[in-house]
Amino acid sequence: MSQASNSIESAIETAIDLDRIDRWLAEDVRTGDVTTDAVLDASAPVAARWVAKADGVVAGLAEAEAVFRRLDPALDWRAAVAEGEAVVAGTELVTFEGAGRAVLTGERTALNIAQRMSGIATATRGYVELIAEHPARILDTRKTVPGLRDLDKKAVAIGGGVNHRAGLYDLAMIKDNHIVAAGGITAAVAAVRAHAPDIGIEVETTTLDELDEALAAGVEMIMLDNMAPETMVLAVERTAGRARLEASGNVGRDNIVTIAATGVDFISIGALTHSVIAFDISQRIDRI
């Protein structure tokens, strides 16, 4: 399998990064949580629960738990739903008990991550379901928050999407500016192969002539950027399986079914991660 295949078909590995969690907490807490430290004794325990306030797909519970455990390693965490599970408003997602200060101090950081990831998973699942009758798959992009790309892409995978390249290093994406700089598609492809012969290559195209040039160069994947659906149909016919095709540009709920019906292999949607609508989750606590 080519490296291009690996970067597209496999979700990014997302081991819990404790150093990153410590940085998240340090950003919020700094010298201390003045409100919580004032109203709760250090030894006071609380019971808490998370409740969904909207319909959607749950993601990020593992990361949220890790946030709380950095503050209270003895936390008793009991998830009531699984990652990727669709829930309705009012569903209890998790219950937990622990040191009250830890539960309140970690609340916003944990919710921020879980709400963002759940929002991404929810949006992705919505698109996946819209095109369920077609073979095309939803693809993510590099339009992610710096430092959170692995979690953004994990959430896309949880929602049923497919992860594209993790970064600039694992797939060569020859875009319009690369083509201009190299003096054409053929020259750009040749330059990449000479520089990194084991790396898969995708080429961005906007016309059928550019598609033909990319096909002649034998690349593994071709982006059809902002092409009209009728042009995409012709592109699929010309390609005839010689490369995988990615439709990209101005994709929304109003046109994604039409795009999927053209026969492309992937449809990339930057808005999955660059325009996230956070999934609404409420944390409620009770004194023990």
Side-chain angles (χ1 to χ4, degrees):
M1 181 181 288
S2 71
Q3 187 155 350
S5 296
N6 284 331
S7 66
I8 293 168
E9 299 296 349
S10 300
I12 286 184
E13 295 183 4
T14 53
I16 299 296
D17 184 343
L18 298 182
D19 288 339
R20 175 168 58 182
I21 290 174
D22 288 343
R23 290 194 297 273
W24 292 344
L25 289 168
E27 175 185 60
D28 205 23
V29 179
R30 294 206 175 195
T31 57
D33 178 350
V34 294
T35 311
T36 298
D37 292 350
V39 302
L40 273 179
D41 294 335
S43 61
V46 300
R49 53 198 168 97
W50 278 11
V51 177
K53 297 180 69 178
D55 300 349
V57 176
V58 177
L61 293 184
E63 287 73 21
E65 178 184 1
V67 168
F68 285 118
R69 286 198 185 283
R70 292 306 280 170
L71 297 168
D72 179 9
L75 184 84
D76 182 14
W77 177 274
R78 299 179 296 278
V81 299
E83 300 272 343
E85 186 172 335
V87 300
V88 298
T91 300
E92 190 171 272
L93 306 180
V94 62
T95 58
F96 50 107
E97 296 178 8
R101 286 184 176 180
V103 170
L104 289 180
T105 296
E107 175 181 355
R108 179 43 52 199
T109 300
L111 281 172
N112 283 348
I113 291 300
Q115 288 180 308
R116 178 179 177 84
M117 292 182 67
S118 295
I120 292 170
T122 298
T124 303
R125 182 71 55 83
Y127 281 112
V128 168
E129 291 176 348
L130 279 175
I131 63 169
E133 295 182 0
H134 300 280
R137 301 188 69 187
I138 301 300
L139 196 65
D140 60 20
T141 72
R142 287 171 49 245
K143 297 174 182 178
T144 57
V145 172
L148 292 182
R149 179 170 298 166
D150 59 334
L151 299 185
D152 282 1
K153 285 180 170 281
K154 177 182 179 180
V156 169
I158 288 172
V162 178
N163 295 143
H164 206 332
R165 58 179 179 160
L168 298 173
Y169 55 89
D170 61 334
L171 176 71
M173 172 79 81
I174 299 174
K175 297 177 70 67
D176 52 357
N177 287 329
H178 299 114
I179 293 168
V180 171
I185 289 174
T186 302
V189 171
V192 170
R193 286 189 173 139
H195 177 71
D198 296 327
I199 290 290
I201 299 175
E202 178 174 0
V203 173
E204 178 185 73
T205 66
T206 57
T207 68
L208 293 177
D209 286 343
E210 290 175 349
L211 172 77
D212 289 338
E213 187 175 356
L215 288 170
V219 300
E220 292 88 347
M221 191 165 178
I222 299 172
M223 178 192 293
L224 309 179
D225 187 44
N226 284 296
M227 283 190 183
E230 54 269 24
T231 307
M232 290 186 199
V233 171
L234 296 175
V236 171
E237 293 174 353
R238 290 195 187 194
T239 301
R242 288 179 287 166
R244 291 182 292 177
L245 298 178
E246 171 195 345
S248 179
N250 296 312
V251 177
R253 296 181 66 88
D254 59 335
N255 64 357
I256 192 169
V257 175
T258 299
I259 293 171
T262 65
V264 295
D265 300 288
F266 299 102
I267 303 172
S268 59
I269 306 174
L272 294 176
T273 54
H274 74 55
S275 299
V276 180
I277 298 176
F279 180 66
D280 198 359
I281 301 172
S282 174
Q283 176 167 306
R284 303 170 185 174
I285 73 162
D286 299 295
R287 293 290 296 269
I288 296 178

